[in-house]
Amino acid sequence: MLLPAFYILTATVLLGLYLSLYYLGLVKRRSWFPSLLHCALAAVGVALLFASLGGAPRGAEFGVQSFGAIAGAVALAAMAVVLLYLALLMFFQKRVTWLVGLHIVVALTAYSFLLAYVVFERDIVRKKKLSFVIARLVRATHFSLNKIGSP
């Protein structure tokens, strides 16, 4: 269930990039559909991510075993920022655009943790040759840095 969660959250990030064009003034918003789809995809993706975290820890070989839980927690924080933005907009008619920027930063942080978790997750690393090469480079770099730092 990790890969479907990753694909859904990737689509969410890409849709969020489209929505950010509205705040930059490059695209005129004509519908609430992209925003609703963005919210729905995020909710489903985070739910699938938390569902996939059960069981044996993954990614311990590369030190990323906790990145999935961190990604989920940070994604929930990004959702909380959006709920705060919507509450201010609905109840006080205040449009606090810096909250949109905060949402973007927090959501991309969550996606970065998820990306690292997916790339270095052991079963996926075995199936994908490119990920395996990246993982080998990271392990070699980690080994050489430990060797340099030790007396």
Side-chain angles (χ1 to χ4, degrees), residues 9-140:
L9 290 172
T10 300
T12 303
V13 167
L14 292 175
L15 189 55
L17 285 172
Y18 169 75
L19 291 172
S20 69
L21 295 177
Y22 165 72
Y23 286 98
L24 293 174
L26 300 174
V27 173
K28 291 183 181 179
R29 179 176 278 180
R30 296 196 172 130
S31 169
W32 281 93
F33 180 72
S35 298
L36 291 176
L37 183 62
H38 179 70
C39 292
L41 284 174
V44 170
V46 170
L48 280 176
L49 175 62
F50 278 121
S52 70
L53 291 177
R58 294 177 274 190
E61 295 174 3
F62 304 105
V64 296
Q65 63 271 19
S66 62
F67 280 19
I70 292 170
V74 174
L76 286 178
M79 290 179 179
V81 169
V82 168
L83 290 177
L84 176 63
Y85 173 77
L86 291 175
L88 288 173
L89 188 63
M90 287 185 349
F91 297 120
F92 300 108
Q93 283 76 37
K94 278 191 157 187
R95 203 171 160 179
V96 187
T97 54
W98 65 268
L99 281 175
V100 175
L102 180 64
H103 167 73
I104 292 168
V105 168
V106 173
L108 288 179
T109 301
Y111 186 73
S112 299
F113 275 106
L114 178 64
L115 184 62
Y117 184 66
V118 168
V119 167
F120 295 113
E121 198 266 322
R122 188 190 69 209
D123 295 333
I124 296 170
V125 167
R126 287 184 184 158
K127 294 176 187 173
K128 308 280 186 189
K129 290 186 179 185
L130 179 61
S131 298
F132 184 72
V133 170
I134 293 170
R136 294 280 300 213
L137 287 172
V138 169
R139 287 183 73 190

